[in-house]
Amino acid sequence: SSAASDVYKRQRQAPHTVASQDRHAKAFTHNDMLHFVYSVQPHVVVAARPGDGACVVRHETSFSPLAAVAGDVAVRGSATAAPYGGNYLALLHTLKDGAYETLAYEFAGAPPFGVTRVSRPIELQGGGAAFPSALLYAQGKVVLAYGVDAASSRARVMSAAYLEELFVQDGAWCIETAR
């Protein structure tokens, strides 16, 4: 069975035992329907049923550079997904040895919503204690809100042009990290 099906079965059987990385769902709308990115790798997208709000797995894809990293570090989603140039912009974070790293990623604007690219780590004040919590893209600016040590809130504002410089070809950051 697929990873998405396994996650969904675990949630239905024992919601309190779902692994922590499964709790960072990112909301987005597509064709006026609410969706959530349930998992970054594999990239699992669920749709919320309008009648009762139950989530149903709709799509599952894999981005090979992220798959290479996922064995060495925990790859988890953060914040919401925002429309971005016909696609969606979202955040992910890695967790290794108690330290977080935040990266942006882009996924396709249409089903199956596969990951198209991943950025290099985004520098945040607080280093490995910084945890991303919100994302906004508007008027050519990207706002990333985050907390540090669960004690203070901060925001990083950058131009879309700067963010574009952080994106690397062919998942190079992932490949370097997997080595």
Side-chain angles (χ1 to χ4, degrees):
S1 74
S2 73
S5 296
D6 292 343
V7 167
Y8 182 70
K9 285 177 190 170
R10 283 197 330 261
Q11 185 182 35
R12 289 191 61 210
Q13 292 169 355
H16 61 281
T17 64
V18 173
S20 62
Q21 67 265 28
D22 299 333
R23 292 185 279 135
H24 300 286
K26 290 161 293 313
F28 69 99
T29 57
H30 178 72
N31 291 340
D32 295 323
M33 184 170 210
L34 180 61
H35 292 75
F36 295 93
V37 174
Y38 190 73
S39 166
V40 175
Q41 180 54 41
H43 202 246
V44 177
V45 175
V46 300
R49 290 192 311 222
D52 61 5
C55 290
V56 179
V57 174
R58 293 288 185 213
H59 307 283
E60 181 179 338
T61 58
S62 182
F63 185 63
S64 58
L66 274 179
V69 169
D72 296 329
V73 297
V75 177
R76 300 175 179 162
S78 300
T80 55
Y84 186 75
N87 288 328
Y88 293 94
L89 180 65
L91 298 173
L92 66 84
H93 64 274
T94 61
L95 179 61
K96 185 172 184 177
D97 300 328
Y100 293 106
E101 262 191 328
T102 298
L103 298 86
Y105 78 97
E106 188 175 27
F107 63 94
F113 305 110
V115 174
T116 58
R117 58 190 185 145
V118 175
S119 76
R120 292 189 305 272
I122 299 170
E123 289 186 29
L124 300 175
Q125 291 181 356
F131 183 84
S133 58
L135 174 71
L136 173 69
Y137 172 68
Q139 301 176 359
K141 298 286 183 191
V142 176
V143 180
L144 189 161
Y146 61 100
V148 177
D149 282 331
S152 64
S153 298
R154 299 185 182 161
R156 168 87 192 256
V157 180
M158 64 190 96
S159 68
Y162 178 80
L163 177 67
E164 285 298 317
E165 292 176 11
L166 295 177
F167 280 105
V168 291
Q169 294 295 325
D170 304 321
W173 173 86
C174 298
I175 293 165
E176 290 170 15
T177 300
R179 290 183 184 155

